[in-house]
Amino acid sequence: MRELSYAEAIREALGQAMEADERVFLFGEDVGVYGGAFGVSGDLVHRFGTERVIDTPISELGIAGVAVGAAITGMRPVLEIQFSDFVTLAMEQIVNQAAKIRFMFGGKATVPMVVRLPGGSGTGAAAQHSQSLEAWFAHVPGLKVIQPATPHDAKGMLLAALDDPNPVLIFEHKLLYKTKGPVPAEAYRVPIGKAAIRREGTDLTIVGTSLMSLKAEAAAARLAEEGISAEVIDLRTIRPIDFDTVAASVRKTGRLLVVYEGVKTMGIGAEISAMIAESDVFDFLDAPILRLGGADMPLPYNPQLEKAAVPQEDDIVAAARRLKREE
């Protein structure tokens, strides 16, 4: 199968969706002639024109308001926030309007909008341009939150998000844009709310999100050389969480390690841990659950400090070893 980069897979999904449905349009800061801050939109403006690939003013709140209004009236807007950190300026429209309108109008109005959010550390962009904020939005009923980790999932989950009558937030890790992988040429869907088992194992379960699921796979390969069999689950969807896949794995392995880049405190790992503790799966645990998350601090600009502030492959290996020793 042919290979595309993560960015190319997103662009292809956008192009196919816009060809298939004239209601779909892309807008945001520098998505037009410039091709997107990270080069994702590329030549889409030349293919579809400036009425469907729209450069906007620097006003995230205004952009998000336009997206909500367009979605309510039947359009399928795809809004790109240049850095996910800037979504803080659009919180009112996303959290108080997009998330609640369908409920408040008894289903008579829907908000089928997609918000693309480049996020994560590793580019030396410092504290205001490197955060992982997905847990904020997973706290809000009415929103769906996804984090595709591969080019295949980036395309398929974006197309699934465009089919959804609800607002969907896609957090795209900036370090993934240049990664490559097999991507079918046709338009296909990867279901929202379904995790993927990236590697099967018997000794412990490692649940990862976004880039961390790839780091977990690399760590599992190293652990296998030591005789430790780790099962790796790429969560893919943060809300709704695919608890059934996680639960089945933990029942088999008896150990759970959750790895995510967002700040550890009150993060995705805490929610998964609580779900395990409140279910019968707790009885299958042979060791306490471990969480690896980001440090409780603003992300540093210094590259070595930045790296130390979020989990790395070595950290996952060390945590897995410690978990395996808990007999």
Side-chain angles (χ1 to χ4, degrees):
M1 186 183 297
R2 68 183 186 144
E3 290 198 343
L4 295 181
S5 72
Y6 190 100
E8 290 169 338
I10 295 171
R11 187 184 312 134
E12 184 168 86
L14 288 169
Q16 290 178 342
M18 293 172 78
E19 287 173 351
D21 187 345
E22 63 181 12
R23 297 174 300 168
V24 177
F25 68 99
L26 170 68
F27 69 126
E29 297 162 16
D30 293 328
V31 300
V33 174
Y34 188 71
F38 298 96
V40 174
S41 48
D43 66 346
L44 290 177
V45 68
H46 302 298
R47 293 173 56 191
F48 297 100
T50 56
E51 290 188 354
R52 296 185 68 194
V53 181
I54 305 168
D55 280 326
T56 67
I58 302 174
S59 175
E60 281 75 15
L61 179 60
I63 301 167
V66 169
V68 174
I72 291 171
T73 58
M75 302 294 285
R76 295 275 178 169
V78 180
L79 163 59
E80 178 182 308
I81 301 290
Q82 196 171 78
F83 284 79
S84 66
D85 314 68
F86 304 161
V87 76
T88 54
L89 298 163
M91 289 290 278
E92 201 284 329
Q93 288 295 320
I94 295 173
V95 171
N96 280 334
Q97 304 303 327
K100 297 175 173 61
I101 283 173
R102 187 175 185 182
F103 172 80
M104 294 178 70
F105 285 87
K108 293 181 180 179
T110 58
V111 191
M113 60 183 271
V114 174
V115 185
R116 293 183 41 247
L117 298 150
S121 66
T123 62
Q128 296 170 329
H129 296 72
S130 304
Q131 298 170 89
S132 298
L133 303 177
E134 56 278 354
W136 287 13
F137 295 95
H139 184 71
V140 180
L143 299 178
K144 294 185 177 180
V145 183
I146 64 178
Q147 285 189 294
T150 67
H152 177 276
D153 287 352
K155 177 179 176 179
M157 296 189 83
L158 174 53
L159 289 172
L162 280 164
D163 291 341
D164 203 294
N166 303 289
V168 180
L169 279 62
I170 307 177
F171 283 86
E172 303 163 2
H173 200 291
K174 297 190 293 286
L175 292 186
L176 292 175
Y177 282 134
K178 294 183 180 179
T179 61
K180 290 192 172 184
V183 178
E186 69 273 11
Y188 60 91
R189 272 67 176 169
V190 173
I192 293 172
K194 181 63 178 175
I197 299 174
R198 300 298 186 192
R199 182 186 181 103
E200 294 191 356
T202 56
D203 291 331
L204 73 148
T205 299
I206 305 176
V207 174
T209 62
S210 189
L211 179 66
M212 290 300 147
S213 66
L214 303 186
K215 290 185 183 295
E217 280 191 84
R222 288 171 54 184
L223 291 165
E225 296 175 358
E226 304 174 16
I228 299 174
S229 175
E231 183 150 294
V232 177
I233 295 175
D234 177 0
L235 203 57
R236 295 199 295 196
T237 301
I238 307 304
R239 185 182 182 102
I241 288 176
D242 179 5
F243 181 66
D244 289 344
T245 295
V246 176
S249 179
V250 176
R251 286 191 183 99
K252 177 174 65 173
T253 67
R255 291 171 172 82
L256 175 62
L257 170 62
V258 189
V259 189
Y260 50 105
E261 187 168 322
V263 172
K264 178 181 177 180
T265 302
M266 300 192 184
I268 304 302
E271 178 62 24
I272 293 175
S273 299
M275 293 172 79
I276 294 289
E278 292 173 349
S279 74
D280 69 314
V281 184
F282 181 79
D283 297 330
F284 290 81
L285 289 175
D286 296 322
I289 298 169
L290 284 183
R291 292 178 293 153
L292 277 183
D296 282 313
M297 63 179 295
L299 280 159
Y301 167 73
N302 178 283
Q304 294 305 315
L305 294 177
E306 179 187 34
K307 191 174 181 180
V310 299
Q312 303 297 330
E313 185 182 318
D314 287 345
D315 301 317
I316 300 172
V317 169
R321 288 171 180 158
R322 187 165 71 252
L323 191 58
K324 183 65 174 69
R325 286 197 296 268
E326 295 276 354
E327 297 292 348

